[in-house]
Structures are given as structure tokens and as C-alpha cells.
Amino acid sequence: ITKASLASWLAKTSEAVYRSRQLLRQANSAMARLKEDKIKDKETIIRLQGEILKKQSAQVASAVQDTMKKELKSYSDIVTKNCAAQSPVITPKQLKTVVREVVTLEDRSRNQMVF
């Protein structure tokens, strides 16, 4: 091993280290850009997920309102329908006839003759 061969080897090694440092700096700056891009992408994803949630909430609210309009009836509609189906309406004439019959029966029960 001579001084010239050691100097040559040291010069080559020094050049390799210098190029390696340059590559590492470039890789470092590329990594920094990639990290920034990743953060921006995550922010975009979060923003878009928020928009999706808002739209889904609006769709659910709309579906609930539609269902409420279609499926549920008002209380008065239900009462009217049930009352009409369950019992017939008594007219004033029918009521008078029933009352007269009851009064007549009451009067007859009082008019008993005892022998």
C-alpha cells in the first residue's frame, strides 16, 4: 500500500460520501414534500367526509319527513275513521223514539193493580 493508492482511495471515498450526502438531502426534501402532500390529502379527505356526512344527514332527514307525510295520519283522521266504523250515528228522530218507549215502559210499571 502506497501513499498514492491511499490518496486515490480517499479521494474516491470522499467523492462517494459527497454524492451520498447530496442524494440524502434530495431524498430528505422529497420526503418533506411527500409528508406535506399527505397532510393536504388527509385534510381533503376529512373535508370530503364532512360533506358526505352533511349530505347523508340531509337525505335521512328528507326520508324521515317523507315517511312521516306518507305513513302517519293526523289524530283527527284516525278518530273520525274509527268512530264512523265502530258505531252508527243516532239521529234525533231515533233518539226521541227510544226515549218515548222507555218513558212508556216506566209509566206502565207504576200502574199496577192489586186485587
Side-chain angles (χ1 to χ4, degrees):
I1 299 179
T2 62
K3 192 175 191 180
S5 66
L6 283 176
S8 171
W9 178 82
L10 185 60
K12 289 178 184 178
T13 306
S14 174
E15 183 66 29
V17 169
Y18 178 75
R19 279 185 276 157
S20 296
R21 277 187 78 185
Q22 285 180 338
L23 287 174
L24 287 173
R25 285 182 183 157
Q26 289 174 354
N28 191 20
S29 65
M31 289 290 290
R33 280 193 313 265
L34 289 173
K35 285 180 182 180
E36 289 174 9
D37 290 344
K38 183 179 178 182
I39 291 170
K40 288 178 184 177
D41 290 343
K42 285 187 177 186
E43 289 172 351
T44 303
I45 288 171
I46 291 169
R47 181 181 49 82
L48 291 174
Q49 285 176 340
E51 290 177 17
I52 288 171
L53 289 175
K54 286 179 185 177
K55 289 185 180 186
Q56 285 177 341
S57 295
Q59 287 177 348
V60 167
S62 175
V64 168
Q65 286 178 351
D66 291 345
T67 302
M68 294 291 284
K69 288 178 184 177
K70 290 178 185 176
E71 300 296 326
L72 295 181
K73 298 178 182 176
S74 68
Y75 179 75
S76 62
D77 291 342
I78 294 171
V79 169
T80 303
K81 184 178 177 182
N82 286 343
C83 287
Q86 289 179 357
S87 62
V89 177
I90 298 175
T91 64
K93 185 177 179 181
Q94 290 173 333
L95 184 59
K96 284 181 184 178
T97 305
V98 170
V99 170
R100 283 184 187 157
E101 288 177 7
V102 169
V103 168
T104 304
L105 288 174
E106 289 283 325
D107 286 345
R108 287 184 184 169
S109 67
R110 289 187 193 157
N111 294 330
Q112 293 181 357
M113 296 174 80
V114 177
F115 292 103

